[in-house]
Amino acid sequence: MLWHLIGLAGMFIVVSAYWRLTDGKLKSSDKQYHLLNLTGAILLIVSLLFNFNLGSFVIEVFWIIIAVKGLIRVNN
């Protein structure tokens, strides 16, 4: 049950980041946007380690890579 809650928290963070981006409250150039995506993806990966799904795991790995790339771009 704990792993499901961690996964749901990660999903909520990722979806809320996208919602705020679409709503104009965040920009894709905002550090917070990339941190939210990174945090959400990490939480989803943690939940997947206990309830594995290959497709979901792979997309979260890419989500982490993209978020890190965004953070690097924002910080330079």
Side-chain angles (χ1 to χ4, degrees):
M1 179 72 170
L2 174 64
W3 310 119
H4 290 295
L5 293 175
I6 290 171
L8 283 172
M11 177 276 310
F12 178 77
I13 291 169
V14 170
V15 169
S16 67
Y18 187 63
W19 182 278
R20 293 174 67 193
L21 176 72
T22 303
D23 220 20
K25 295 183 176 157
L26 281 177
K27 296 179 183 174
S28 62
S29 59
D30 291 344
K31 186 176 185 178
Q32 182 183 14
Y33 175 69
H34 300 291
L35 285 172
L36 287 168
N37 277 311
L38 179 62
T39 302
I42 289 171
L43 290 174
L44 283 160
I45 287 273
V46 168
S47 74
L48 286 169
L49 294 176
F50 296 92
N51 198 2
F52 192 74
N53 176 302
L54 182 60
S56 295
F57 184 84
V58 170
I59 198 168
E60 294 312 321
V61 168
F62 278 106
W63 210 257
I64 289 170
I65 292 167
I66 293 166
V68 169
K69 180 181 178 187
L71 283 169
I72 291 168
R73 182 177 50 90
V74 167
N75 286 327
N76 286 332

